[in-house]
C-alpha cells in the first residue's frame, strides 16, 4: 500500500463524514479533554518500519526493565493521543508495578479528522497493510529494542482503539497472545463509513459462525493458538451499544471452538463478570458488563492495591480499574511488586457438566447397581422408582476456577424440579448430599460404581421438600479447587413405596461457591 500521507488525504472527503460519526464515537466534548503528558515518561520513537498507516509511535518503559518481560499495546480513542491514554487509564501504574513495557500508537489527523484509528477501512484492517501493519511494525521494534517476551504480547484499546484491538488480534494472532477491547466492536463489523454507523448503533447481528469466519479470513490457513479476549462494556453506552459485546463474544468464542454460554458467572465490585472456556477448560473469553456505565474506560482512582487511573471525560470512575483486571486475566501480575489479592468475598456460579451427570439404580441394599437409562429424557432421579429400585443422582462441576488455596466460605447446590411421584420426604425422610473432591467412581461419567463409592464428606447438606421450581441445599465447604467436584444426592432412608423425583441437569443445576 502507498505509505505517503497524501494517499490518506485523498480519503478526506469520506472521512469528513466521520466528523459527526466519530465525534460521537467518543462523545461530544472529547476534543477538549487532553490531559497533559508526563514529559519524562513518554517517549516518541521513529524509524520503526515502512509505516504504511502513517502512525506515530510512543512508548513507556519502566526504569531498569529487564529483557524477557511482557509488552502491552494500548490504543487510544478518537481525538485522544498517546499522552491521554497512559496514566489516565492506569496502564503506567501496572507497567511500573508488574514490570512490562507499554507501547502507545498514535493516530494523526491527516489520516482521520478526529484522530480515530480507521477500524472501518478495508485498507487498514488487513494483515500486511495500512494501520494494522504499522502497529505490528511498532510491536516488532519494541521486541527488538527491549527483548520483550514474544509469547506475552497483548493489545487493548478504548472505542475506536478497541475496534482496532480486535483488528490486531484477528490480523496478527501469531503476534498477540491476548487482547481487551473496551467499548469496542467485532472485527470487520464495518468496511465503510456508512456501515460504521450501523455497527455502533443499533449493532450488527450475525451468527457466531459468520463472525468467526471474518476472523479466520484475516489470516487464511493460520493453525496456531488464538488470542484470549477480555471484553468490557458499559450497560448504558448509547454510543457503542451493548449489543456489540454480545457479537464480540460470539466472534471470539466461535474462533476458539467454545459455546456462548458462560462457564462461570460472578460479580466483581458489583459488576457482572463471566468466563467462557474452551474444550480443554482454558478461559478464552471473559466479559465485564459495567452496570450503569456509559461510553468510556473504567477506572478506580486512588492508591489502593487494585486502584488506578485519573477520572475525566470518558475515563469513568466506576470503582473498578479495568487495567488491573485485564492485567490479571493476561497473567501480568506474576512479577515486579504485584498488589496483594483483593479483599472481600468472591462468588462463582457453576452449571453442572451435563455430559457426566446421571443416576444409578440399585436394590435397597445397593445390590446390582447400574446406570439409569432415562437421564437424557427426564433428568437425574433420586428415590424409589416404580420398578422397586432405588436411585442416586450424580451432578458434576468444574470447580477449577476457584483459586488454588482459597478459603471456601460456603458452597451450595441449586436444583430444578423436573417430575416425580409420591413424596420422597415422607415420614421425615431426608434428601442428603455426599460430596467428592474429584470423581466418585473410576471416571467422572456416571457409572455403576458411583452408587457406593466413598465420598470426601457424606450427608454434608440436605435438599428440602419441593415439588416445583428450584430448591437450594444447605451450605457446605468441600470443593476441589484443582478440577472436578461431584455431588451425589440420595435419600437417607430407603422408601418402602414408590417415591422419587427427577431433577434437571446441565445448566439447570448449579453449584455456587464463595471464597476469600
Amino acid at each position: 500500500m502507498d505509505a505517503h500521507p497524501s494517499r490518506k488525504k485523498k480519503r478526506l472527503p469520506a472521512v469528513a463524514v466521520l466528523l459527526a460519526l466519530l465525534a460521537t464515537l467518543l462523545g461530544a466534548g472529547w476534543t477538549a479533554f487532553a490531559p497533559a503528558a508526563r514529559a519524562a515518561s513518554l517517549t516518541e520513537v521513529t524509524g520503526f518500519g515502512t509505516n504504511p498507516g502513517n502512525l506515530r509511535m510512543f512508548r513507556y518503559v519502566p526504569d531498569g526493565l529487564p529483557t524477557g518481560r511482557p509488552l502491552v499495546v494500548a490504543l487510544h480513542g478518537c481525538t485522544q493521543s498517546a499522552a491521554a491514554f497512559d496514566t489516565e487509564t492506569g496502564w503506567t501504574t501496572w507497567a511500573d508495578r508488574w514490570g512490562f513495557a507499554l507501547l502507545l500508537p498514535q493516530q494523526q489527523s491527516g489520516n482521520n479528522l478526529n484522530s480515530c484509528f480507521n477500524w472501518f477501512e478495508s485498507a487498514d484492517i488487513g494483515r500486511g497493510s495500512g494501520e494494522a501493519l504499522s502497529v505490528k511494525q511498532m510491536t516488532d521494534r519494541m521486541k527488538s529494542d527491549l527483548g520483550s517476551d514474544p509469547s506475552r504480547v497483548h493489545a487493548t484499546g478504548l472505542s475506536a482503539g478497541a475496534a482496532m484491538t480486535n483488528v490486531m488480534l484477528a490480523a496478527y494472532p501469531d503476534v498477540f497472545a491476548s487482547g481487551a477491547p473496551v467499548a469496542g466492536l467485532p472485527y470487520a463489523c464495518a468496511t465503510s463509513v456508512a456501515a460504521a454507523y450501523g455497527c455502533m448503533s443499533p449493532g450488527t447481528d450475525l451468527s457466531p459462525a459468520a463472525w468467526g469466519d471474518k476472523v479466520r479470513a484475516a489470516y487464511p490457513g493460520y493453525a496456531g493458538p488464538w488470542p484470549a479476549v477480555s471484553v468490557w462494556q458499559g450497560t448504558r453506552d448509547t454510543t457503542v451499544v451493548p449489543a456489540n459485546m454480545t457479537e464480540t463474544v460470539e466472534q471470539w468464542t466461535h474462533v476458539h471452538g467454545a459455546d456462548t454460554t458462560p462457564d462461570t458467572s460472578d460479580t466483581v465490585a458489583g459488576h457482572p463478570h463471566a468466563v467462557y472456556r474452551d474444550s480443554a477448560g482454558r478461559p478464552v473469553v471473559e466479559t465485564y458488563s459495567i452496570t450503569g456505565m456509559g461510553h468510556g474506560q473504567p477506572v478506580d482512582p486512588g492508591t489502593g492495591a487494585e486502584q488506578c487511573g485519573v477520572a475525566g471525560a470518558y475515563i469513568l470512575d466506576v470503582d473498578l480499574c479495568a487495567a488491573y483486571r485485564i492485567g490479571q486475566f493476561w497473567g501480568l501480575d506474576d512479577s515486579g511488586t504485584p498488589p496483594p489479592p483483593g479483599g472481600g468475598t468472591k462468588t462463582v456460579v457453576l452449571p453442572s457438566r451435563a455430559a457426566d451427570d446421571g443416576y444409578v439404580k440399585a436394590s435397597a441394599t445397593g445390590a446390582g447397581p447400574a446406570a439409569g437409562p432415562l437421564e437424557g429424557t427426564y433428568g437425574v432421579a433420586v428415590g424409589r422408582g416404580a420398578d422397586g429400585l432405588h436411585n442416586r443422582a450424580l451432578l458434576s462441576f468444574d470447580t477449577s476456577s476457584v483459586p488454588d488455596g482459597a478459603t471456601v466460605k460456603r458452597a451450595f447446590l441449586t436444583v430444578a424440579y423436573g417430575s416425580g411421584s409420591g413424596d420422597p420426604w415422607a415420614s421425615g425422610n431426608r434428601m442428603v448430599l455426599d460430596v467428592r473432591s474429584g470423581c466418585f467412581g473410576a471416571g467422572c461419567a456416571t457409572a455403576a460404581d458411583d452408587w457406593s463409592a466413598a465420598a470426601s464428606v457424606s450427608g454434608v447438606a440436605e435438599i428440602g421438600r419441593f415439588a416445583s421450581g428450584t430448591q437450594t441445599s444447605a451450605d457446605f465447604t468441600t470443593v476441589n479447587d484443582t478440577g472436578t467436584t461431584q455431588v451425589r444426592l440420595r435419600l437417607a432412608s430407603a422408601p418402602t413405596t414408590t417415591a422419587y423425583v427427577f431433577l434437571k441437569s446441565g445448566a439447570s443445576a448449579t453449584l455456587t461457591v464463595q471464597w476469600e
Side-chain angles (χ1 to χ4, degrees), residues 372-383:
L374 301 176
E375 186 272 331
T377 303
Y378 297 111
V380 296
V382 186

Side-chain angles (χ1 to χ4, degrees), residues 139-179:
T139 305
D140 290 342
R141 172 68 187 269
M142 292 288 284
K143 291 189 289 187
S144 176
D145 287 355
L146 304 175
S148 303
D149 183 347
S151 69
R152 302 183 70 189
V153 180
H154 316 278
T156 186
L158 169 63
S159 196
M164 202 66 184
T165 294
N166 280 324
V167 168
M168 299 313 299
L169 303 184
Y172 295 101
D174 51 336
V175 175
F176 294 94
S178 50

Side-chain angles (χ1 to χ4, degrees), residues 455-483:
S456 300
V457 288
S458 298
V460 68
E462 297 182 21
I463 294 283
R465 177 187 279 108
F466 75 123
S468 64
T470 62
Q471 181 68 288
T472 297
S473 77
D475 295 349
F476 54 93
T477 58
T478 300
V479 171
N480 179 15
D481 59 19
T482 62

Side-chain angles (χ1 to χ4, degrees), residues 264-309:
T264 61
S265 300
D266 60 0
T267 58
V268 177
H271 303 291
H273 168 243
V275 177
Y276 303 76
R277 298 177 182 274
D278 64 10
S279 59
R282 293 180 294 257
V284 292
V285 177
E286 71 166 359
T287 60
Y288 280 86
S289 183
I290 308 303
T291 306
M293 190 183 81
H295 192 65
Q297 173 92 8
V299 295
D300 183 14
T303 58
E306 299 180 5
Q307 292 182 288
C308 78

Side-chain angles (χ1 to χ4, degrees), residues 67 121 222 287 308 348-349 369 386 439:
T67 60
E121 293 279 5
Y222 176 69
T287 60
C308 78
V348 63
V349 181
C439 299

